[in-house]
Amino acid sequence: MIEQLKRIGKEWKKGDSHRIYFNNLEKYFGLELIYYKSGNICGAKLDGEEISNSRAGEIRFCLREGKVWYDLKENKFYSRIEDCRTFTGKEMGKFIIEAIKEEANKEKEVGNG
């Protein structure tokens, strides 16, 4: 699974640390955003269900400031995401990590096919 994680994430090494960081946390959380030309949110869905633009903006902010990584030395996922009104950072991190694992498993199946 490590090779699949490397393909969907970004490997990082510094000193004694060796991690794989994951971007696009919005996608892994199931947040879909449509923007006006101005950059403001025009419409939003969470797991396919419409949500308010303000709720979407709050979730987007927490996810954009958050981090999710896999520590190769400890063979363990970690997340650091701030709480928002609707979800705790821990809830969001858990959901995102599960989505990353699912994507890595799909990558593994494609690679073996």
Side-chain angles (χ1 to χ4, degrees):
M1 180 156 104
I2 301 302
E3 290 306 311
Q4 290 77 21
L5 292 175
K6 287 180 181 179
R7 279 200 292 275
I8 62 175
K10 183 170 173 91
E11 190 171 6
W12 177 84
K13 293 179 187 179
K14 186 174 182 180
D16 207 26
S17 299
H18 190 187
R19 300 174 179 170
I20 302 169
Y21 281 92
F22 300 93
N23 295 322
N24 202 358
L25 301 184
E26 295 169 7
K27 174 188 115 181
Y28 290 117
F29 194 62
L31 183 63
E32 300 173 54
L33 301 170
I34 301 167
Y35 295 94
Y36 291 111
K37 287 181 183 178
S38 66
N40 292 329
I41 297 172
C42 172
K45 291 183 179 180
L46 184 60
D47 289 328
E49 293 188 31
E50 289 188 17
I51 61 172
S52 73
N53 294 351
S54 71
R55 181 175 175 212
E58 180 186 12
I59 294 168
R60 176 187 65 176
F61 178 79
C62 291
L63 293 175
R64 286 199 175 160
E65 296 297 313
K67 299 208 181 306
V68 174
W69 69 94
Y70 183 82
D71 189 303
L72 289 153
K73 293 187 96 181
E74 296 182 30
N75 293 315
K76 186 175 176 183
F77 278 96
Y78 290 92
S79 67
R80 186 176 54 223
I81 301 171
E82 292 293 322
D83 294 349
C84 61
R85 281 181 291 153
T86 315
F87 301 100
T88 67
K90 189 174 182 177
E91 287 173 319
M92 289 190 283
K94 250 176 116 173
F95 190 89
I96 290 166
I97 289 167
E98 287 307 310
I100 290 169
K101 288 178 183 178
E102 281 181 36
E103 186 169 327
N105 285 330
K106 288 178 188 172
E107 283 279 322
K108 191 174 186 177
E109 290 170 12
V110 170
N112 291 334

